[in-house]
Amino acid sequence: MFKNYLKIALRNIKKYKGYSFINMAGLAVGMACCILLFLWVQDELSYDRFHENADEIYRVISEIHTADKITHNARTPNPLGPVVKEKYPEVIDFIRYQGFVGWLVQAGDKSFINDNLGTADPSFFEMFTFPFLKGDPKTALSERYSIVISENMAKKYFGHEDPMGKIIRIGKDFKVTGVIRNIPENSHLHFDCIIPIINMEYHWETDLKDWEDIRFYTYIQLHKKSSPEDVSEKISGIIKEHLPKSPTKVYLQPLTDVHLRSDFEADLDNYNQGSMAYVFIFTMTALGILLIACINFMNLSTARSANRAKEVGMRKIAGAQRMDIIKQFLGESILLAFIALIFALLLVELLLPLLNGLSGKHLDLDFSGNIQLLLGLIAIALLTGLFSGSYPSLFLSSYQPVNIMKKDFSSRASGSLRKILVVFQFALTIILLIGTMVIYSQLNYIQNRDLGFDKDHVLEFWTAHADYEALKNELLKNPNILSIANSETPGREPWGATGLDWDGKIAGEEIRFYSTMADPDYLETLNLEMVEGRFFSKEFPTDVTQAVVVNEAAVRAMGMESPVGKRLRFREWEVTIIGVIKDFHQTSLHNPIEPLVFRHSYDFPHVLAKISSKNVPETLVFLEKTWKKFVKHYPFTYEFLDEKIDNFYKTERTIGKVFQYFTSVAILIACLGLFGLASFMTERRTKEIGIRKVLGAKVSGIILLLSREFTKWILIANIIAWPVAYLVANEWLQNFAYRINIGLEIFIFSAALALVIAILTVSYQAIKAAIANPVDSLRYE
Amino acid sequence: MIKLVDITKYYSSGYVKTFALRDINLEVKEGEFMTVMGPSGAGKSTLLYILGMLDTPSSGEYHFFDQKVHRLSEKQLSELHKNHIGFVFQSYHLIDDLTVYENLETPLLYKKVKGAERKSKVAEMLDRFQVVAKKDLFPNQLSGGQQQKVAVARAVITNPKLILADEPTGNLNTKEGQEIMELFKELNEEGTTIIQVTHSEKNASYGRRIVNLLDGWIVD
């Protein structure tokens, strides 16, 4: 029996090549999209799961409760880890971690500054599973001057020599005590080398006992049975005990949530940060596209059912039960689905480099190490086959042989269900279309929004603590370097604090504020405006220690009437507000403008330079040359401010591109379906068209007649899609503090686009039918 | 073998009832060779389909041996039908995508006949209907007469008690038609009950009993 079905199925595929091609191409493309998105989602979900203790490790997150909101900070007070371990038996171990880039690392005659240097408590490799190629994870970091390096770093510094016991100089000499395998990409922790945290205290002036210093990420490992809620409650209590005035509580974030569910201040590795929302959106998109492809398949199969009707009738007369027929047609669609899967896999191989290029991941189709993928693929093909075969098989099996044997049999497959399916399919497509347009408009809006400062032709670089005044004078000799400021950059990670005290503060009213370093040239370099008072000035040497400038948002937050001349106090400093700067977007547009306090920079190793738009390459060469005169060991690296700001929206840009591709695919598949349906509908109306033409209808009239029905469907699809698209898009826009309003024009445009595409698709069939000679269609009556 | 009591069949479309059969009372004995005749639209085919259990009457009783067909479920009908009834149509109705061999095999597959037995049965039929050489051809590679031979072979392969033929020679030339009728005669002589619908007086002469239909009534 099975062989019989298989033969029929294969012969059918061969016989109706065009139809089989459309059917399978749609399905294969849909599956390929689905598999690509599946790989992406799988990778996103795999972060940090490779640690043996992954389920027992939590990261301690600070929750800062201020008057109007709760801010989350990924770091915790320096001494928290050790105290927690000592006090609570359910805490097996703790790790404090921090990473740095930009330190000069030397070994032998090689030196680089681009290594990721990590620093952590000595039991780091007992809590986290990073396999060792050489050395012992238990003792590797127990000596103060020990360093564990990655495979890549070992190669970079020592080539083929054995790195064990060799010396690496990072300010002090460290002895290599271990080499680990390169860190997998799906780890939120990334470092090239790691040294014991104790060195922070000795050489980098960090007081590990200072509760007010919040510098490290703290990870704790809990006993399997203890409840993270209880532990976080206890830890909050400890913070209260040591910092009675701090509005900080903590919550424990499972290690496996770090990649997808972190939206915190001062977090690690933020450019690679994932988001659960995107995982959700992509999963839905994948399913949506597969659904569109399945509906296509159903529609085309059903449209062709008249051809198979006779076979069904004969089989029933030969003794087939309805179940036999259902099994046969389901089997056929599953077979088609598996064939489509093979094509889909080829497509995936072809398209993976594109997706990898977009997402910066290194995904591949590797079945051996990925049972999930294999099972996933089989499930996709099986479900696709079952789902897309269900309607045609139920429909075909319902044929009564007696009806088929009658001469005037014509398939009644026009059923309203098929129209509903096409409407649904188009509704999904329109949702994707609107989504893409909203993303595009929002990105456009961000790109063109006035940030309140001039970001073009500003570059920033590090001075390596060279003599700033001398360097500045030397640089300004070049007329293309317009201005230089010794300051921090706008567009950096926000890094807030609480505990600010000001004249007229109501007791207990806390605000979260952000501080930044600037010197008198800052204003000109970024082309900023003052609202009140003045900015720092060389004429007032006391500015360096006694003055601050605040932004308008800070004035509002503190509720000050006339801010200039008011006093501010924070920990050891007490200063006077000398001016109010006009609000500008010092961070990404995801965040609102926060209260900002400018302090005068002093021996600050960072420079902003505004250069002329002319002769940029020459200016850069000059910059580097001059810089080299002052700094010996380090290479010159710089970053343009506009590029840096662009980077904030890297995720959104990637998502936008991915969406664009998948929307195109969805439109393509939906059009294939519409094309098939149109040809079927037109065929059914051949006689009607013939009669109309004999009665004198014009070709244009016929085309209009045939297109009208499809137009109606597309409009209905639009009406269904609009509210859904609006809700989803609006939800996405909530990620931005500054966002577009979704205007009516987006909806109208998407409707128009869908309609044009649909009519183009349908018109081929309509025109063919309309210009056909009516004699041909009426003769066989 | 067959007893029809007051069988009526009508189709309703809107408010209009169109009667195909009216108060048909008919008895057919085992081994008969009966011909149903009448002009187009007289209800001949409808009667045949009802007899073949492919269609259900609007009212009346249908007894097949000791079974009350009008009371049976679809599944039981299908069971009865696949064991006892073979069908032959004017336009052959072979499955286009299966070879002659596979077409013959299909009813056996649905009866869940074992492989070896299936093979021998199909071989026997191919032999008997002299289409051995054509067994790997598809229906559209055969002449009308050959196709109809295959269709008859397919109808008799399960050894049915009753063969229903709906204008079996309608699409054939005289010589081919004659061959098919000879086949029916042979089958009838071996004991198979045959009921045929035809316009042709000559074909009717092969049968031993003629029932005339007009506007859904049996006329004598």
Side-chain angles (χ1 to χ4, degrees):
Chain A
M1 186 95 292
F2 178 72
K3 232 171 84 190
N4 186 294
Y5 292 160
L6 192 68
K7 267 187 225 158
I8 280 263
L10 290 176
R11 281 175 196 159
N12 254 303
I13 292 171
K14 241 168 82 184
K15 199 160 154 192
Y16 304 98
K17 287 191 193 80
Y19 156 81
S20 304
F21 174 76
I22 289 190
N23 215 345
M24 262 191 297
L27 212 51
V29 171
M31 278 184 179
C33 287
C34 197
I35 294 168
L36 286 171
L37 289 173
F38 178 84
L39 286 172
W40 185 89
V41 166
Q42 195 192 28
D43 183 71
E44 284 291 290
L45 293 175
S46 73
Y47 267 70
D48 296 311
R49 287 187 198 272
F50 57 86
H51 297 293
E52 272 163 34
N53 306 321
D55 294 332
E56 296 156 34
I57 304 173
Y58 296 83
R59 186 163 74 150
V60 186
I61 303 293
S62 303
E63 249 179 30
I64 300 129
H65 296 252
T66 43
D68 52 339
K69 63 183 176 186
I70 299 173
T71 320
H72 289 94
N73 190 304
R75 307 186 195 191
T76 39
N78 295 353
L80 185 67
V83 172
V84 165
K85 185 188 173 186
E86 197 186 286
K87 270 193 131 167
Y88 302 113
E90 54 263 59
V91 178
I92 299 174
D93 201 3
F94 72 93
I95 289 293
R96 287 165 294 176
Y97 175 87
Q98 184 54 280
F100 306 91
V101 202
W103 293 97
L104 183 68
V105 178
Q106 296 165 288
D109 54 351
K110 289 184 181 146
S111 66
F112 300 93
I113 62 157
N114 55 356
D115 291 296
N116 249 313
L117 167 68
T119 163
D121 286 293
S123 56
F124 183 80
F125 292 108
E126 285 177 71
M127 186 187 291
F128 296 107
T129 316
F130 292 107
F132 271 60
L133 295 171
K134 289 190 169 115
D136 178 5
K138 285 211 173 73
T139 57
L141 291 178
S142 46
E143 295 285 323
R144 178 167 150 196
Y145 290 115
S146 55
I147 182 166
V148 172
I149 61 177
S150 72
E151 210 179 333
N152 272 349
M153 184 160 167
K155 222 171 269 165
K156 181 162 134 191
Y157 285 89
F158 305 110
H160 295 295
E161 288 173 56
D162 182 4
M164 292 296 280
K166 291 251 164 45
I167 298 299
I168 289 181
R169 189 170 172 80
I170 308 170
K172 293 271 168 185
D173 286 349
F174 291 87
K175 195 169 87 180
V176 177
T177 51
V179 180
I180 55 164
R181 215 181 280 274
N182 289 326
I183 293 176
E185 274 179 59
N186 56 358
S187 166
H188 85 279
L189 290 169
H190 278 282
F191 51 87
D192 297 300
C193 55
I194 194 161
I195 56 172
I197 197 167
I198 188 88
N199 293 292
M200 294 292 290
E201 194 148 50
Y202 284 91
H203 307 295
W204 285 284
E205 294 163 357
T206 304
D207 183 359
L208 292 178
K209 303 246 158 30
D210 182 0
W211 281 88
E212 297 210 348
D213 193 10
I214 297 173
R215 196 161 299 205
F216 295 96
Y217 305 97
T218 305
Y219 300 84
I220 57 174
Q221 185 179 350
L222 299 184
H223 273 292
K224 274 199 180 69
K225 286 193 184 126
S226 48
S227 130
E229 286 77 24
D230 291 350
V231 176
S232 67
E233 199 71 18
K234 287 176 182 165
I235 298 177
S236 296
I238 292 189
I239 291 187
K240 193 90 217 156
E241 200 176 294
H242 288 89
L243 293 166
K245 277 162 87 189
S246 162
T248 303
K249 291 181 176 172
V250 304
Y251 106 88
L252 296 185
Q253 179 188 36
L255 182 68
T256 47
D257 277 2
V258 170
H259 177 64
L260 289 175
R261 296 178 196 269
S262 295
D263 183 15
F264 309 133
E265 276 184 7
D267 206 340
L268 273 165
D269 197 23
N270 265 311
Y271 289 141
N272 200 18
Q273 181 63 49
S275 143
M276 208 58 210
Y278 288 128
V279 167
F280 179 74
I281 289 178
F282 274 173
T283 309
M284 291 327 264
T285 310
L287 293 178
I289 289 179
L290 194 61
L291 200 60
I292 292 175
C294 284
I295 289 176
N296 236 3
F297 186 96
M298 275 193 218
N299 256 329
L300 289 171
S301 309
T302 319
R304 246 179 36 83
S305 58
N307 295 337
R308 303 293 295 272
K310 197 181 107 185
E311 180 191 334
V312 173
M314 278 333 297
R315 284 185 183 276
K316 282 199 166 176
I317 286 170
Q321 307 268 350
R322 187 165 184 196
M323 213 44 222
D324 294 317
I325 307 286
I326 291 179
K327 270 190 232 156
Q328 177 188 350
F329 284 98
L330 273 186
E332 231 169 81
S333 65
I334 290 171
L335 176 75
L336 272 171
F338 273 93
I339 297 175
L341 178 65
I342 293 168
F343 287 113
L345 288 176
L346 291 176
L347 272 176
V348 169
E349 277 293 340
L350 228 64
L351 294 176
L352 258 182
L354 188 71
L355 181 68
N356 282 335
L358 275 178
S359 65
K361 290 183 187 294
H362 293 89
L363 304 172
D364 58 358
L365 268 179
D366 166 31
F367 298 110
S368 54
N370 199 340
I371 301 294
Q372 263 177 321
L373 176 65
L374 196 66
L375 292 179
L377 289 179
I378 293 173
I380 285 176
L382 214 58
L383 286 178
T384 309
L386 277 176
F387 179 67
S388 49
S390 59
Y391 178 62
S393 71
L394 284 174
F395 177 74
L396 280 167
S397 66
S398 72
Y399 281 153
Q400 289 303 315
V402 60
N403 294 324
I404 296 164
M405 299 315 152
K406 283 182 184 158
K407 280 187 203 115
D408 61 344
F409 173 78
S410 71
S411 162
R412 290 153 303 137
S414 66
S416 45
L417 180 64
R418 298 185 51 211
K419 289 180 195 162
I420 293 171
L421 288 178
V422 168
V423 168
F424 182 65
Q425 196 180 23
F426 259 82
L428 282 176
T429 312
I430 291 163
I431 292 172
L432 285 174
L433 198 61
I434 293 176
T436 310
M437 280 193 289
V438 169
I439 294 176
Y440 178 81
S441 321
Q442 172 68 17
L443 290 179
N444 210 25
Y445 168 79
I446 283 173
Q447 211 123 33
N448 297 327
R449 187 181 163 94
D450 180 13
L451 296 178
F453 63 92
D454 209 345
K455 65 181 180 349
D456 297 321
H457 300 105
V458 175
L459 51 86
E460 50 164 301
F461 52 90
W462 182 58
T463 63
H465 296 277
D467 180 350
Y468 173 69
E469 284 303 322
L471 175 67
K472 178 181 172 183
N473 290 335
E474 199 65 30
L475 287 174
L476 284 175
K477 281 181 187 162
N478 186 323
N480 283 325
I481 296 178
L482 304 177
S483 126
I484 290 205
N486 179 206
S487 65
E488 281 183 84
T489 337
R492 78 203 164 96
E493 252 310 287
W495 209 157
T498 46
L500 189 70
D501 191 20
W502 62 89
D503 287 353
K505 182 183 178 183
I506 301 160
E509 185 191 344
E510 282 296 337
I511 66 163
R512 186 131 181 100
F513 74 100
Y514 300 78
S515 83
T516 197
M517 297 286 186
D519 74 352
D521 296 310
Y522 187 73
L523 216 55
E524 190 198 337
T525 309
L526 292 178
N527 196 13
L528 292 161
E529 274 175 59
M530 293 299 289
V531 180
E532 238 185 297
R534 61 174 180 87
F535 202 68
F536 301 123
S537 163
K538 284 195 188 68
E539 288 155 36
F540 299 87
T542 52
D543 277 1
V544 178
T545 50
Q546 292 165 24
V548 290
V549 173
V550 295
N551 68 353
E552 293 170 293
V555 175
R556 278 195 303 274
M558 293 186 286
M560 283 181 175
E561 286 293 328
S562 48
V564 176
K566 292 264 165 60
R567 308 280 289 168
L568 289 186
R569 283 164 296 275
F570 180 69
R571 292 194 195 159
E572 70 278 8
W573 50 265
E574 176 163 2
V575 287
T576 310
I577 298 173
I578 55 167
V580 178
I581 200 167
K582 194 167 180 228
D583 274 345
F584 65 95
H585 294 281
Q586 77 270 24
T587 67
S588 82
L589 294 172
H590 292 111
N591 308 311
I593 295 176
E594 301 281 3
L596 193 59
V597 176
F598 290 87
R599 295 168 59 200
H600 198 297
S601 57
Y602 176 75
D603 192 20
F604 188 69
H606 195 271
V607 169
L608 281 180
K610 170 92 177 172
I611 60 171
S612 158
S613 57
K614 282 178 226 128
N615 302 329
V616 174
E618 283 87 346
T619 312
L620 289 174
V621 171
F622 173 80
L623 259 171
E624 173 158 19
K625 242 195 233 157
T626 316
W627 194 84
K628 286 262 181 192
K629 280 188 216 161
F630 289 84
V631 187
K632 292 295 167 223
H633 298 292
Y634 295 91
F636 178 62
T637 55
Y638 63 89
E639 193 174 9
F640 276 101
L641 188 54
D642 52 352
E643 287 170 11
K644 182 174 185 159
I645 288 172
D646 251 18
N647 249 338
F648 282 135
Y649 314 108
K650 205 175 123 197
T651 317
E652 282 83 4
R653 224 180 296 282
T654 306
I655 303 292
K657 280 214 189 93
V658 172
F659 241 73
Q660 207 177 316
Y661 285 118
F662 285 118
T663 304
S664 316
V665 169
I667 291 175
L668 182 80
I669 302 176
C671 283
L672 278 180
L674 195 62
F675 183 80
L677 193 64
S679 64
F680 167 74
M681 297 288 290
T682 317
E683 216 167 274
R684 270 170 44 87
R685 296 177 74 172
T686 310
K687 193 178 136 193
E688 179 197 334
I689 293 164
I691 294 170
R692 280 177 190 272
K693 280 189 85 176
V694 168
L695 294 177
K698 282 197 207 122
V699 170
S700 57
I702 302 280
I703 295 174
L704 197 69
L705 177 81
L706 290 171
S707 308
R708 202 161 49 196
E709 197 173 350
F710 289 95
T711 309
K712 197 174 73 195
W713 298 351
I714 301 298
L715 290 181
I716 295 172
N718 265 297
I719 289 165
I720 296 170
W722 285 358
V724 181
Y726 180 81
L727 287 176
V728 176
N730 213 26
E731 189 62 40
W732 178 75
L733 285 173
Q734 299 306 313
N735 285 321
F736 296 90
Y738 301 90
R739 52 190 179 252
I740 53 164
N741 288 314
I742 309 175
L744 198 61
E745 70 277 1
I746 284 184
F747 293 98
I748 291 172
F749 181 72
S750 71
L753 190 62
L755 206 58
V756 168
I757 292 171
I759 285 178
L760 284 178
T761 314
V762 171
S763 61
Y764 170 76
Q765 297 292 345
I767 291 170
K768 207 171 87 177
I771 58 177
N773 185 344
V775 176
D776 294 331
S777 58
L778 297 178
R779 194 162 45 197
Y780 61 73
E781 271 302 292
Chain B
M1 177 188 195
I2 289 172
K3 192 177 168 197
L4 299 182
V5 182
D6 291 334
I7 290 285
T8 296
K9 175 75 181 176
Y10 57 81
Y11 302 96
S12 32
S13 57
Y15 297 104
V16 190
K17 268 188 191 172
T18 318
F19 280 89
L21 294 175
R22 296 169 188 264
D23 298 332
I24 302 288
N25 287 291
L26 186 66
E27 213 164 322
V28 183
K29 296 209 172 57
E30 207 168 352
E32 268 197 89
F33 192 150
M34 191 179 97
T35 305
V36 181
M37 295 190 77
S40 288
K44 306 184 299 286
S45 294
T46 307
L47 178 60
L48 204 66
Y49 290 139
I50 287 175
L51 286 170
M53 302 167 197
L54 295 177
D55 210 350
T56 48
S58 311
S59 66
E61 292 178 12
Y62 175 8
H63 302 268
F64 187 80
F65 290 106
D66 51 349
Q67 304 255 31
K68 289 181 180 144
V69 176
H70 51 277
R71 295 253 175 91
L72 296 181
S73 71
E74 198 180 332
K75 211 169 171 184
Q76 289 167 314
L77 274 178
S78 163
E79 204 55 37
L80 198 60
H81 161 122
K82 89 175 158 197
N83 287 317
H84 298 295
I85 300 172
F87 249 103
V88 178
F89 300 91
Q90 175 176 359
S91 44
Y92 335 126
H93 287 326
L94 295 171
I95 299 177
D96 296 333
D97 296 315
L98 293 181
T99 63
V100 167
Y101 185 95
E102 289 155 0
N103 261 295
L104 290 181
E105 195 183 22
T106 306
L108 300 176
L109 286 168
Y110 286 118
K111 275 187 85 176
K112 306 214 159 42
V113 175
K114 291 262 167 354
E117 196 188 337
R118 226 161 50 214
K119 254 187 192 158
S120 72
K121 276 244 164 158
V122 173
E124 186 193 323
M125 286 298 143
L126 288 169
D127 199 34
R128 174 165 178 191
F129 291 88
Q130 293 153 17
V131 285
V132 179
K134 316 270 188 244
K135 75 176 168 61
D136 291 324
L137 296 182
F138 288 96
N140 57 13
Q141 295 168 306
L142 302 177
S143 73
Q146 287 164 338
Q147 286 192 50
Q148 195 61 301
K149 266 194 203 167
V150 176
V152 175
R154 186 182 59 182
V156 300
I157 197 165
T158 54
N159 296 326
K161 293 243 165 42
L162 173 65
I163 286 186
L164 300 167
D166 190 358
E167 306 214 24
T169 63
N171 287 0
L172 304 180
N173 63 34
T174 322
K175 186 168 163 281
E176 287 172 334
Q178 216 168 338
E179 267 182 57
I180 295 295
M181 290 317 295
E182 288 298 332
L183 277 173
F184 281 132
K185 202 175 155 195
E186 236 174 81
L187 286 167
N188 181 243
E189 278 158 11
E190 285 163 19
T192 312
T193 313
I194 291 175
I195 302 176
Q196 67 162 341
V197 163
T198 186
H199 284 298
S200 146
E201 295 285 347
K202 197 177 157 217
N203 285 354
S205 68
Y206 282 89
R208 278 170 283 176
R209 177 181 168 195
I210 292 176
V211 169
N212 279 304
L213 277 181
L214 185 64
D215 295 340
W217 305 96
I218 291 184
V219 289
D220 296 311

